[in-house]
Amino acid sequence: MLDEDGHFGESVAARYDESSAEMFAPDAVEPAVDVLAELAGAGRALELGVGTGRLALPLSRRGVGIHGIDLSRAMTDRLRAKPGGDAIGVTIGDFATTRVPGSFSVAYLVFNTLMNLTTQDAQVDCFRNAAAHLGPGGCFVVEVMVPDLRRLPPGQNTVPFHVGSTRLGFDTYDVATQSMSSHHVEVEGGRGSFRSIPFRYVWPAELDLMARLAGMRLRERWDGWTRQPFTSESRQHVSVWEKPGG
């Protein structure tokens, strides 16, 4: 799991909301909150990787009880400083293994954060941890990209995702290990900076097997939060696995 000093420390937390502004826009937030509030019902929600509260805060305003787990104190300090942040419980720890008291109707992990777990074992542990927090009939929801390997011609392992006058971003892939890294180059005031973040990409079918190992079954899979059909052309998915007994 990425540690707060390595990839999500103060320098990243200070700019996170601004750098991810498109994910804080109402058309990105509201459909996700609609789905999660529906699944939570009268129960509680657990956010794995709660960060600065992009979804936790609007869910809390809907009346859903929220608890979040995150490894980064710098990120959760931003959450606590926002209006309504004091209503959200936060536990500092690795969301793949950290347990919190109580039972939840829904646990969720969004915005590709599952890939911050850089080994298959850690991802399996995350599914088991989510299932352990759910009551009977509870759901685990994951939003994550579909690996974009079709953009890799033979002999190439790099795909750009942003090319601008002051910022360059590109991903590198190792298809043998399913490891990848996102690299960010920025130029500001005539000075350059470089940041690299490791990930492990994962296929939908592999996630279904992880869910089965944790005692859950696939209930829904969509292209996105507005519940469009998932197809072979989808570049991301929102998947819902259910714990038996509801």
Side-chain angles (χ1 to χ4, degrees):
M1 177 67 184
L2 303 180
D3 65 77
E4 60 180 286
D5 294 323
H7 300 298
F8 291 99
E10 182 61 34
S11 62
V12 172
R15 300 181 56 198
Y16 182 80
D17 289 12
E18 176 186 354
S19 65
S20 303
E22 73 282 357
M23 296 302 295
F24 284 80
D27 62 348
V29 171
E30 291 173 5
V33 172
D34 287 343
V35 170
L36 295 171
E38 178 184 318
L39 291 172
R44 296 196 300 156
L46 176 68
E47 180 164 359
L48 307 181
V50 67
T52 65
R54 182 178 70 93
L55 296 185
L57 287 166
L59 263 176
S60 179
R61 289 193 290 269
R62 295 270 191 102
V64 178
I66 305 285
H67 195 96
I69 301 174
D70 204 291
L71 198 61
S72 172
R73 294 183 185 277
M75 296 284 279
T76 57
D77 283 348
R78 264 68 186 179
L79 162 61
R80 289 189 174 110
K82 293 177 180 179
D86 57 351
I88 298 169
V90 174
T91 298
I92 300 299
D94 181 343
F95 61 69
T97 55
T98 298
R99 291 294 308 275
V100 301
S103 180
F104 297 84
S105 296
V106 63
Y108 62 96
L109 181 58
V110 299
F111 197 14
N112 296 326
T113 305
L114 177 67
M115 300 196 312
N116 290 154
L117 302 172
T118 55
T119 68
Q120 186 182 69
D121 284 345
Q123 291 172 347
V124 169
D125 286 343
C126 179
F127 271 73
R128 287 176 169 151
N129 195 35
H133 283 94
L134 294 173
C139 292
F140 183 36
V141 184
V142 172
E143 175 194 29
V144 69
M145 62 173 273
V146 175
D148 208 8
L149 302 189
R150 288 191 295 180
R151 296 179 64 190
L152 285 176
Q156 181 175 315
N157 70 343
T158 303
V159 174
F161 59 82
H162 182 89
V163 178
S165 59
T166 62
R167 184 163 70 92
L168 171 66
F170 59 95
D171 291 327
T172 55
Y173 292 83
D174 183 338
V175 298
T177 62
Q178 291 183 213
S179 62
M180 61 177 289
S181 293
S182 289
H183 309 277
H184 304 261
V185 179
E186 296 188 50
V187 178
E188 187 174 353
R191 301 188 64 179
S193 64
F194 173 76
R195 184 164 60 97
S196 181
I197 304 175
F199 298 102
R200 181 183 186 270
Y201 67 80
V202 60
W203 299 98
E206 187 181 5
L207 294 175
D208 291 343
L209 183 56
M210 292 180 186
R212 286 190 174 218
L213 291 172
M216 298 183 288
R217 289 285 193 274
L218 182 67
R219 177 169 139 181
E220 304 279 0
R221 174 165 290 134
W222 307 300
D223 180 271
W225 292 105
T226 55
R227 311 190 199 206
Q228 315 96 308
F230 178 77
T231 73
S232 59
E233 298 303 314
S234 296
R235 298 185 67 183
Q236 68 284 315
H237 62 98
V238 173
S239 295
V240 181
W241 297 274
E242 188 173 40
K243 185 173 180 176

